[in-house]
Amino acid sequence: GDDHGHDGGDADELQRGRDAYARRAWLDAHERLTSVHGRRPLDAPDLELLATTAFMLGRDDDTVAWLERAHQQYLDDGLTLRAVRCAAWIVMNLAIRGEIGPATGWLGRAQRLIADEGECAERGWLLIPSVFQREAAGEFAAAAAVAGEAVSLGERFGDRDLFAVAVQAQGYMLLKNGQVREGLGLLDEGMVAVTAEELSPIVTGIVYCGVILACQEVFEVRRAREWTR
C-alpha cells in the first residue's frame, strides 16, 4: 500500500543523497539526507555523511550534533571503535572552537570506551588533541613525538586520513621546533596524500590548510604556490 511507496521513495532519496555526497554537492546531499532523517532515523554511517556535509557547509553546531547521534547509534549497534572515531572528531571540532571543557569530557569518554580494545587506529586519532595541547604549552619536540606515534598507528592500520593528519601535525611541530627541512619533508608527504585524492573531504581541507599555514610561517612561497596549484 501507501507505506511501501513511501519507504521506496525514502530509499531512492537516501541514495540520491549519498550520490550527491560522492559528487561533493554538499548542500544537495545535506538537504536530501536531512529530509529522509526527518521521516525515519538514518543509520550511523549516513549520520556521519550528514556530519561531514554540515562541516563542509560551515555549520559547526550541526556538525557536532550529527556526530553525537552517529556516536550513540554506533554504540547501540555494538560498534565501539566506530563510536570512538566519532568521539575523536567531536573532540577536534570542540577544541578548534575553544570549547575546552566539553572537548576534554568527550576525550575522556572516548578513552574509557577504548580502554579494553587492543592497538588500533582510533588510539592514534585520540593522540591528535594532545599534540595541540603540547603545542599550546610550547613543547614542540614533545608535540612532534606524539604526532609521530599517531603516524605509526596510521601506517600500521592503513588509515590514510590518520596518517595524513598526523604527518602534517608532526611536520608543523618540527618546523616550530626549528627543524625546518625535516618538517617540510613531512608536510610534503601529507600533501601527496591530498593530491592523490586518497583522503576524506574534511581531512583534505585540514591537511592542505595546515600545510599552507606552515609554509607561510617559514616564508615557503614557492612550495605553497605549487601545492595550491
Side-chain angles (χ1 to χ4, degrees), residues 140 144 168-187 210-220 223:
F140 302 127
Q168 180 262 315
Q170 188 184 14
Y172 197 10
M173 295 309 132
L174 289 175
L175 275 191
K176 286 184 169 260
N177 201 45
Q179 297 162 264
V180 176
R181 185 177 299 142
E182 205 182 333
L184 286 171
L186 292 174
L187 293 176
V211 167
I212 297 306
L213 194 64
C215 286
Q216 278 184 321
E217 286 190 22
V218 293
F219 306 107
E220 266 281 344
R223 212 183 217 95

Side-chain angles (χ1 to χ4, degrees), residues 39-102:
R39 290 188 294 278
R40 62 181 178 91
L42 294 175
D43 290 337
D46 290 316
L47 291 170
E48 279 193 280
L49 294 189
L50 254 177
T52 298
T53 61
F55 183 97
M56 299 304 284
L57 293 166
R59 300 176 184 176
D60 295 345
D61 290 340
D62 288 355
T63 302
V64 172
W66 290 119
L67 282 170
E68 286 178 356
R69 285 183 182 159
H71 169 83
Q72 191 54 53
Q73 190 57 56
Y74 278 130
L75 283 184
D76 294 347
D77 295 341
L79 297 170
T80 307
L81 289 180
R82 296 298 296 268
V84 166
R85 191 170 282 253
C86 289
W89 279 105
I90 291 170
V91 172
M92 286 186 272
N93 274 284
L94 292 171
I96 287 166
R97 292 155 57 176
E99 296 183 28
I100 302 306

Side-chain angles (χ1 to χ4, degrees), residues 190-229:
M191 280 304 293
V192 165
V194 169
T195 52
E197 300 198 346
E198 294 173 352
L199 309 178
S200 69
I202 292 177
V203 169
T204 297
I206 288 172
V207 173
Y208 168 70
C209 193
V211 167
I212 297 306
L213 194 64
C215 286
Q216 278 184 321
E217 286 190 22
V218 293
F219 306 107
E220 266 281 344
V221 178
R222 178 186 62 83
R223 212 183 217 95
R225 190 177 286 137
E226 285 175 6
W227 283 129
T228 300
R229 189 157 51 235

Side-chain angles (χ1 to χ4, degrees), residues 126-140:
L126 295 181
L127 287 173
I128 301 298
S130 57
V131 175
F132 299 114
Q133 281 170 338
R134 285 172 171 78
E135 178 194 10
E139 300 164 5
F140 302 127

